[in-house]
């Protein structure tokens, strides 16, 4: 497999390092308009070769990854479109998906397979100098298939991402943007607000305030150290979903203020206990173990069926370890095989699929 990466910052270079370790990858070619970043990525082993342009990096590649800001993806996709070979997979790493996937699909020929991607992994540090092949190990990596997604292309990208240690989940592009607005984008703005509040209080009233900052404060504000330019781009691209989540958050903060104002200890205790229980229930980063289970289900030959199945499974928090399709000789339908880890995961996935009308047969491997 030949891979082209456009953008060799932290995520792009880390993908280059991770992919380069796989036996099935022949060469990783990279391009970055910042030549220092590109040469750093090459020197650290993230790139086998460098290119003189984005189009050159994409030429003859089996997989092309656009690791550039979301606002630049449309323009870069249009630039590389003539160089993309039929059958190539084009993906990205932006943390917004609806607008990005739409821009990719509009920019490239229909023979190119567009599958949006979002690795939920990163660091407060930036640039190729801080890249690591282990960045994605245990991290959630979201893929966003659509009604246009080719099943075999999705399987190939899914398997490749899983091979670098990521936990792959499928979700619709629009739903992705609402979900990450809650779990990623809002925490960034909340941390930014809290950090600025503390900094201004320290400057104007209590110079010693930040000396008291203990673990809780540091944990809550860690992401405030992120690159401002990156977050300007994210907020612009996911503005609508983020405003809706901020409105909800504002209402909850207002309700909490009212509880404190009237001294309603019962409501405050319930709010704190609910949050504590929810926090304790967060899934851990540990590797899931258990028997491998296959779900077999008949699927019709129609656009969007793969996206429907994968997003249905992903919506209940289950990772698809592998998938395959056996096409019926008479055409019109096929048999989809989903490999999952653990009986509990298989049962959740099965229930969700049956609720959508699929007939599912389970087989423990």
């Amino acid at each position: 497999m030949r891979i082209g990466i456009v953008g060799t910052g932290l995520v792009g270079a880390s993908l280059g390092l991770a992919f380069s370790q796989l036996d099935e990858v022949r060469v990783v070619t990279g391009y970055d308009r910042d030549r220092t970043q590109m040469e750093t990525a090459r020197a650290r082993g993230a790139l086998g070769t460098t290119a003189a342009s984005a189009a050159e990096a994409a030429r003859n590649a089996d997989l092309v990854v656009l690791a550039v800001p979301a606002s630049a993806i449309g323009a870069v996709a249009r630039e590389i479109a003539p160089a993309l070979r039929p059958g190539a997979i084009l993906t990205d790493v932006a943390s917004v998906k609806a607008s990005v996937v739409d821009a990719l699909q509009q920019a490239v020929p229909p023979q190119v397979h567009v599958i949006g991607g979002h690795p939920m992994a990163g660091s407060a540090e930036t640039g190729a100098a801080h890249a690591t092949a282990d960045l994605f190990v245990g991290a959630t990596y979201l893929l966003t298939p659509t009604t246009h997604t080719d099943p075999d292309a999705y399987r190939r990208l899914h398997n490749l991402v899983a091979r670098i240690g990521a936990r792959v989940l499928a979700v619709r592009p629009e739903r992705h943007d609402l979900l990450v607005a809650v779990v990623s984008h809002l925490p960034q703005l909340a941390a930014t607000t809290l950090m600025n509040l503390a900094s201004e209080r320290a400057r104007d009233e209590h110079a010693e305030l930040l000396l008291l900052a203990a673990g809780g404060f540091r944990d809550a504000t860690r992401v405030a150290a992120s690159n401002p330019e990156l977050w300007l781009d994210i907020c612009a691209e996911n503005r609508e979903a983020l405003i809706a989540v901020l409105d909800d958050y504002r209402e909850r903060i207002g309700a909490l203020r009212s509880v404190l104002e009237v001294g309603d200890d019962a409501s405050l205790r319930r709010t704190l206990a609910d949050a504590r229980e929810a926090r304790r229930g967060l899934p851990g980063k540990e590797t899931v173990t258990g028997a491998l289970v296959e779900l077999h289900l008949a699927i019709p030959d129609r656009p969007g069926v793969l996206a429907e199945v994968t997003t249905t499974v992903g919506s209940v928090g289950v990772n698809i370890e592998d998938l395959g399709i056996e096409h019926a000789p008479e055409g019109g339908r096929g048999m989809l095989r989903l490999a999952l880890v653990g009986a509990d995961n298989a049962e959740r996935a099965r229930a969700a699929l049956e609720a959508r009308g699929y007939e599912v047969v389970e087989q423990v491997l």
Side-chain angles (χ1 to χ4, degrees):
M1 175 176 282
R2 293 161 297 187
I3 296 177
I5 297 178
V6 180
T8 57
L10 175 71
V11 174
S14 294
L15 281 173
L17 284 168
F19 287 148
S20 295
Q21 294 180 358
L22 302 181
D23 292 339
E24 61 265 41
V25 175
R26 181 194 304 175
V27 64
V28 177
T29 301
Y31 169 77
D32 197 305
R33 64 182 183 181
D34 184 334
R35 294 196 63 83
T36 300
Q37 290 289 349
M38 185 169 66
E39 290 302 325
T40 300
R42 184 194 59 77
R44 299 199 61 227
L47 307 176
T49 60
T50 59
S53 67
E56 183 180 325
R59 187 167 290 113
N60 296 321
D62 302 294
L63 169 67
V64 177
V65 182
L66 301 188
V68 299
S71 58
I73 283 178
V76 175
R78 289 189 293 274
E79 179 184 348
I80 68 172
L84 293 169
R85 69 168 187 81
I89 299 171
L90 177 62
T91 189
D92 72 295
V93 299
S95 64
V96 291
K97 290 272 74 78
S99 60
V100 164
V101 170
D102 183 61
L104 291 175
Q105 289 178 333
Q106 291 188 36
V108 302
Q111 297 86 0
V112 173
H113 305 303
V114 170
I115 306 172
H118 175 199
M120 298 192 72
S123 165
E125 305 295 340
T126 60
H130 300 284
T132 169
D134 296 332
L135 186 66
F136 312 100
V137 175
T140 298
Y141 200 120
L142 299 173
L143 296 180
T144 56
T146 71
T147 56
H148 303 288
T149 301
D150 176 77
D152 184 61
Y154 177 85
R155 180 186 61 79
R156 283 183 282 142
L157 181 58
H158 179 289
N159 291 348
L160 191 69
V161 170
R163 290 266 285 130
I164 62 174
R167 180 173 181 264
V168 189
L169 290 177
V171 63
R172 297 189 308 276
E174 297 79 9
R175 180 157 178 76
H176 165 280
D177 291 352
L178 290 171
L179 293 174
V180 297
V182 175
V183 301
S184 177
H185 302 170
L186 177 62
Q188 172 67 39
L189 296 186
T192 297
T193 302
L194 177 57
M195 191 67 249
N196 286 338
L197 172 64
S199 177
E200 290 167 12
R201 287 286 180 90
R203 182 178 63 244
D204 299 337
E205 303 172 27
H206 306 289
E208 72 279 9
L209 178 64
L210 295 183
L211 296 176
L212 304 178
F217 180 84
R218 293 179 185 277
D219 288 344
T221 59
R222 178 182 56 81
V223 294
S226 301
N227 183 356
E229 295 304 317
L230 170 67
W231 282 99
L232 276 173
D233 194 60
I234 291 171
C235 289
E237 294 294 324
N238 204 27
R239 189 185 311 274
E240 185 175 336
L242 190 46
I243 287 173
V245 171
L246 280 170
D247 286 343
D248 191 2
Y249 188 61
R250 178 176 59 186
E251 290 180 11
R252 290 169 184 266
I253 290 293
L256 185 59
R257 182 189 182 283
S258 297
V259 165
L260 291 171
E261 187 173 35
V262 301
D264 186 351
D265 289 348
S267 292
L268 180 58
R269 181 180 291 106
R270 187 164 54 251
T271 298
L272 294 169
D274 287 348
R276 180 191 189 195
E277 190 67 22
R279 181 63 178 81
R280 286 180 167 180
L282 282 178
K285 292 279 189 180
E286 66 274 5
T287 302
V288 177
T289 59
L292 196 62
V293 180
E294 274 195 354
L295 299 184
H296 297 193
L297 56 154
I299 56 171
D301 183 10
R302 62 171 172 80
V305 66
L306 179 70
E308 181 178 89
V309 169
T310 54
T311 56
T312 297
V313 174
S315 70
V316 293
V318 176
N319 181 41
I320 300 173
E321 301 297 327
D322 196 7
L323 59 81
I325 297 178
E326 297 175 4
H327 297 282
E330 64 274 14
R333 62 193 299 274
M335 182 63 68
L336 179 63
R337 295 177 291 103
L338 304 177
L340 315 172
V341 173
D344 290 345
N345 286 335
E347 184 56 35
R348 291 208 310 275
R350 178 175 182 167
L353 290 168
E354 288 178 342
R356 282 191 168 271
Y358 291 97
E359 293 185 8
V360 183
V361 176
E362 183 176 316
Q363 179 181 351
V364 178
L365 301 180

